[in-house]
Amino acid sequence: MPRVARAVIDGGYYHALNRGNARADLFHKPGDFEAFLRIIAEAQSRYPVDLLAWCLMTNHWHLVLRPRKAAALAEFMRWVGVTHVRRHQEHYHQRGGGHLYQGRFKSFL
């Protein structure tokens, strides 16, 4: 059964978050946090989404985002998630090692 589409409005403010699978760490050293922020910055250059605030913890993160176009939120978050997983698995030599995130990101208006 397909997922229900998220209700997103142009210019709305969203709290988005995700957690490591089984609450496992996503970030192991300062360079991991920096790499994630570079991914976020690159995503901002690709998609019309404003990043207003962020909080990164070792096993999860929170972002406050404002998509200028409703569809941009999912595109932005998909790109961030896929890019982060690929780069993380490459860096830690974990290709094919299972899920990094517990599931798809959560977002609240």
Side-chain angles (χ1 to χ4, degrees), residues 43-50 66-69 72-73 75-76:
Q44 286 183 278
S45 72
R46 294 170 174 262
Y47 302 100
V49 174
D50 299 319
R66 187 176 76 73
R68 286 175 250 141
K69 300 287 182 190
L73 180 64
E75 293 167 352
F76 178 93

Side-chain angles (χ1 to χ4, degrees), residues 12-33:
Y13 294 88
Y14 291 88
H15 171 200
L17 61 119
N18 211 341
R19 177 184 333 239
N21 192 28
R23 298 186 183 211
D25 285 350
L26 299 169
F27 309 107
H28 305 281
K29 58 188 178 188
D32 293 341
F33 291 100

Side-chain angles (χ1 to χ4, degrees), residues 37-103:
L37 292 175
R38 284 192 301 273
I39 290 169
I40 295 290
E42 190 174 342
Q44 286 183 278
S45 72
R46 294 170 174 262
Y47 302 100
V49 174
D50 299 319
L51 174 65
L52 304 171
W54 71 90
C55 182
L56 308 180
M57 274 82 52
T58 56
N59 72 341
H60 68 288
W61 47 257
H62 299 264
L63 306 174
V64 178
L65 304 167
R66 187 176 76 73
R68 286 175 250 141
K69 300 287 182 190
L73 180 64
E75 293 167 352
F76 178 93
M77 293 306 301
R78 180 178 49 249
W79 191 88
V80 166
V82 168
T83 303
H84 181 236
V85 167
R86 287 181 179 168
R87 292 181 183 179
H88 183 277
Q89 289 181 340
E90 182 69 28
H91 181 76
Y92 287 103
H93 309 288
Q94 296 176 339
R95 290 266 172 183
H99 297 282
L100 181 62
Y101 287 111
Q102 71 177 6

